[in-house]
Amino acid sequence: MRDVVTRFAPSPTGRLHLGHAYSAVLAHDLARASGGRFLLRIEDIDGTRSRPEHVDAILADLAWLGLEWDGPVLFQSTREDAYAAALARLRAMGLLYPCFCTRAEIAASQSAPHGPEPVYPGTCRALPEAERTARITAGVPHAWRLDMARAVATADTDLMWTDAIAGPVRADPLAQGDVVLARKDALASYHLAVTVDDAAHGVTHVVRGADLFAATDVHRLLQALLGLPTPLYHHHALLVGPDGQRLAKRNDAPTLESVRLRGEDGRALADRLRAGGAGIGIAPQSA
Ligand code: GLU
């Protein structure tokens, strides 16, 4: 059996809240339970929204919770070459196309409101090659999207992955449409960076919130296309407050920093999270 390697992978676009702490505690403890390694990866691919002061707060929060990570802090902002290599490989396989659509255009094309990321209607997939070249040469900003139908056909394998709680899952990446792999405004998309890095960092167990469950279908496909191993996944329930609302940033959940600066005991808080939020008015959301 490979040594267990887990990671906590926050995006430094805001302060952490209790939901992040729960994820970090679970990932940390899973590694420690088997003498494995717990990595800290700062997902700062988004240069406009990532802030150094959020990174500082993340490091201070984790130390306060008593969670020590192994090795240096890993930064996605240093991994441009690795993402470029993966994109080049997918492009050479004929699986990427440039997309010139703006967010507003994509939103306008939706007949009904979707989740936070609408499924792309495929507008730019049909652009003639000459038109693509002309727009790129003219400097029109563009993302690169995965031609999902073609990618699934190319992978030509049973896209199975295993969740520690849900069991075996048959991936259905087609449901997510032509996802972006290279953004207009960032080094790579979340899907590409996380898949490339989990493999490069030897992560064997991906511990993260259930809100990313469906994203794993895309990651499993990318693993098949790029010849990368598939880790075991552990999507944990999201924490909800007394009102049943998820502790997401948008619900004004208290930040860990605010609790830390109030002088509360971080290690005791981590223990309460280990007990599923007992005594602090939060609980994992029931399925
Ligand atoms: N960076 C992502 C986030 O903060 C998590 C990535 C992951 O765990 O796969 O939501």
Side-chain angles (χ1 to χ4, degrees):
M1 157 105 186
R2 292 176 297 171
D3 283 343
V4 169
V5 180
T6 67
R7 66 358 178 237
F8 177 53
S11 306
T13 53
R15 297 299 205 253
L16 301 185
H17 56 72
L18 281 169
H20 293 112
Y22 184 54
S23 225
V25 164
L26 293 180
H28 168 271
D29 290 6
L30 184 62
R32 293 288 172 257
S34 58
R37 286 160 47 78
F38 170 61
L39 310 179
L40 174 59
R41 184 169 73 225
I42 302 293
E43 303 216 315
D44 56 351
I45 35 174
D46 186 335
T48 52
R49 291 175 61 228
S50 298
R51 299 252 185 280
E53 61 267 28
H54 295 318
V55 177
D56 294 344
I58 289 168
L59 303 187
D61 290 341
L62 292 178
W64 170 71
L65 291 165
L67 305 180
E68 276 176 36
W69 58 90
D70 296 301
V73 181
L74 306 163
F75 288 90
Q76 288 194 323
S77 53
T78 65
R79 304 266 304 144
E80 186 167 4
D81 293 352
Y83 308 144
L87 287 167
R89 195 162 158 184
L90 295 168
R91 197 172 295 136
M93 294 164 85
L95 301 180
L96 302 186
Y97 63 86
C99 172
F100 305 91
C101 295
T102 62
R103 273 178 189 278
E105 283 165 352
I106 296 170
S109 70
Q110 304 292 309
S111 46
H114 238 277
E117 274 304 310
V119 172
Y120 181 62
T123 323
C124 287
R125 194 191 315 119
L127 277 185
E129 197 54 45
E131 179 63 27
R132 285 180 180 159
T133 311
R135 290 195 199 182
I136 291 175
T137 312
V140 181
H142 56 281
W144 288 88
R145 288 185 181 272
L146 185 65
D147 183 332
M148 192 56 92
R150 197 178 278 193
V152 169
T154 302
D156 193 26
T157 178
D158 230 5
L159 295 172
M160 298 297 295
W161 56 275
T162 303
D163 185 87
I165 301 165
V169 180
R170 186 176 302 276
D172 179 21
L174 280 172
Q176 298 184 52
D178 294 354
V179 295
V180 169
L181 294 189
R183 285 170 44 175
K184 285 178 189 172
D185 56 350
L187 295 183
S189 74
Y190 160 68
H191 290 310
L192 185 84
V194 85
T195 305
V196 167
D197 282 353
D198 281 337
H201 298 148
V203 172
T204 59
H205 294 62
V206 171
V207 178
R208 61 184 174 202
D211 52 336
L212 291 169
F213 196 96
T216 304
D217 288 359
V218 175
H219 305 168
R220 178 66 187 86
L221 170 63
L222 292 175
Q223 287 154 5
L225 294 170
L226 295 167
L228 304 175
T230 301
L232 184 67
Y233 290 86
H234 180 123
H235 292 96
H236 60 77
L238 301 178
L239 294 183
V240 292
D243 55 358
Q245 287 256 49
R246 281 181 189 180
L247 299 182
K249 288 171 209 164
R250 59 182 171 276
N251 296 332
D252 301 329
T255 65
L256 292 183
E257 183 183 53
S258 67
V259 182
R260 170 162 59 81
L261 296 179
R262 249 184 358 233
E264 289 198 26
D265 182 341
R267 286 168 191 262
L269 175 64
D271 282 341
R272 288 199 206 99
L273 290 168
R274 289 184 173 99
I280 45 177
I282 52 174
Q285 189 171 43
S286 46

